[in-house]
Each structure stands twice: as C-alpha cells, then as structure tokens.
C-alpha cells in the first residue's frame, strides 16, 4: 500500500531547498571570511547520499559556493553488526581536501534511534578531525536511544515503533515523496 502521504513531491523539493538555505545561514559558508570553515556534506548511503547531492546543488544555486561532497558507509561501525543481517558495503568517498578542520554536515533520510549517526561519528573519526559535525535529516521520526539530535530537520513526524516511513527520491524511485506505513 502507498501509505499516508507526509510530503508530496513538491513538499520534498521545497524542504530540501529550505534545509539548503538553513545550512548556508548556519554555516556562513558564503561569508568569504578567511576563518570560515570549509563545509563538507557527507551523505549516509543510500538516500542520505542522494539528499546530500541535492543539497550541494541547491547550496551552490543559492549561495554561489559549492560545498565539498562525500559519502560515508557506516556498515562496519554499527554496534549491532553481529546481530543484524549483513547488507553489502556501500562506497565511502572522501572529497579532495579531506575533513580535517572542516565543518562536516552528515546527511541522512530518516533519524530514528540515532545509532546510525553514532556509527557515522565513529567512521568520521577514522577520516580525520573535523572542526565540528552537524546533522541534517529529511525526517525525524523520534524514538532516540542515544543523546543525538539533528541541526536541520525537514519534518518532525511522531511515529509509533510499528510504523515505517518510505522516503522516495526520483533518482531511485522515479518520483519524490514521503509516506507513513502501518506495519
Ligand atoms: P537509526 O540508526 O537512527 O535507528 O535509523 C536511521 C537509519 O535507518 C537511517 O539511515 C534510515 O535510512 C534508516 N531508517 C530508520 N527508520 C526508518 C524508516 O522508518 N524509514 C526509512 N526509510 N528509513 C529508516
Ligand atoms: Mg539509511
């Protein structure tokens, strides 16, 4: 079943644009200040990487500055690696210049327990020492199990644990949209 629509295609596009504006404002990446940090968007595969790509394009469109872009597979850093079914490793890619001293914005589609983000922080540690790390998510569905919060949230969606959110993106699914499913 399609589920209940939470974001229409145009809502998804507007939300990505809004987050791009917020990243520009909060990071001041277009300030031209010599001591403004280099901004690196690191997407968490699969859809977090796609969202990071879209955000980079919007940020460039709105500010004239293109942030560096990478992607971070967190499979090996999960604390439940031994208890969950294995999935294939995704590619980690680090932009030229790395993440040392950069302001890294992690990007994911859905924030739930926070364990993926915790794993991503472990993964970043192996790549360098950022000046700061922020988090952007399209959907925050609650149920945190760790002291982790997002700096940029497309939409807060109170969910029950039995519910599931589908994030559809044109690049993968042929159209944009976010839906809520009852298990
Ligand atoms: P967490 O690690 O915070 O429990 O879950 C976040 C990760 O699992 C994200 O990478 C996200 O893609 C995925 N995830 C968790 N819950 C959902 C959900 O309801 N829908 C979708 N599409 N992904 C989810
Ligand atoms: Mg995911």
């Amino acid at each position: 079943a399609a589920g209940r629509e939470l974001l229409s295609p145009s809502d998804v596009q507007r939300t990505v644009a809004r987050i791009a504006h917020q990243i520009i404002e909060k990071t001041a990446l277009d300030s031209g200040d010599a001591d403004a940090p280099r901004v690196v968007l690191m997407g968490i595969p699969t859809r977090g990487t796609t969202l990071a790509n879209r955000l980079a394009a919007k940020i460039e469109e709105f500010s004239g500055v293109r942030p560096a872009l990478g992607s971070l597979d967190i499979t090996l850093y999960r604390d439940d690696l031994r208890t969950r079914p294995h999935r294939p490793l995704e590619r980690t890619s680090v932009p030229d210049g790395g993440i040392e001293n950069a302001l890294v914005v992690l990007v994911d589609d859905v924030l739930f327990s926070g364990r993926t983000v915790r794993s991503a922080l472990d993964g970043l540690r192996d790549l360098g020492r950022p000046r700061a790390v922020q988090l952007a998510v399209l959907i925050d569905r609650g149920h945190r199990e760790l002291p982790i919060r997002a700096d940029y949230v497309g939409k807060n969606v109170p969910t029950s644990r039995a519910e599931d959110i589908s994030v559809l993106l044109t690049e993968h699914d042929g159209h944009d949209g976010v839906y809520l499913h009852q298990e």
Side-chain angles (χ1 to χ4, degrees):
R4 179 159 71 83
E5 184 182 79
L6 299 174
L7 296 178
S8 70
S10 61
D11 291 334
V12 171
Q13 291 142 31
R14 238 195 325 274
T15 301
V16 170
R18 175 169 52 76
I19 295 173
H21 281 296
Q22 290 170 339
I23 291 174
I24 293 165
E25 182 167 348
K26 190 158 176 169
T27 65
L29 91 171
D30 58 346
S31 67
D33 281 5
D35 56 19
R38 207 173 128 258
V39 173
V40 177
L41 305 185
M42 291 292 279
I44 298 174
T46 305
R47 282 171 180 69
T49 302
T50 305
L51 287 167
N53 272 288
R54 287 202 197 181
L55 285 169
K58 286 292 170 198
I59 288 169
E60 182 174 28
E61 182 186 330
F62 299 147
S63 75
V65 177
R66 185 164 180 92
L69 192 56
S71 109
L72 183 63
D73 181 50
I74 51 83
T75 311
L76 293 176
Y77 297 94
R78 289 201 65 104
D79 56 12
D80 53 3
L81 189 60
R82 273 165 301 175
T83 55
R84 274 164 47 119
H86 287 253
R87 66 174 178 85
L89 296 187
E90 310 268 0
R91 180 181 303 280
T92 287
S93 72
V94 183
D96 290 346
I99 64 163
E100 198 68 27
N101 271 322
L103 196 173
V104 173
V105 182
L106 294 170
V107 181
D108 208 351
D109 55 353
V110 176
L111 178 58
F112 184 46
S113 70
R115 288 177 191 273
T116 298
V117 171
R118 190 210 60 82
S119 307
L121 294 172
D122 277 358
L124 282 185
R125 190 180 51 199
D126 288 349
L127 302 177
R129 186 182 186 283
R131 184 195 293 199
V133 181
Q134 298 178 348
L135 174 64
V137 297
L138 187 62
I139 302 291
D140 181 348
R141 58 165 293 191
H143 301 283
R144 217 76 78 239
E145 296 169 3
L146 294 169
I148 281 173
R149 47 121 188 105
D151 298 271
Y152 313 97
V153 178
K155 189 179 177 71
N156 285 290
V157 180
T159 59
S160 78
R161 284 180 180 278
E163 287 167 326
D164 187 43
I165 290 175
S166 306
V167 174
L168 304 184
L169 297 173
T170 305
E171 295 88 331
H172 305 280
D173 310 297
H175 66 97
D176 289 341
V178 176
Y179 297 87
L180 182 67
H181 301 270
Q182 201 68 47
E183 210 71 322

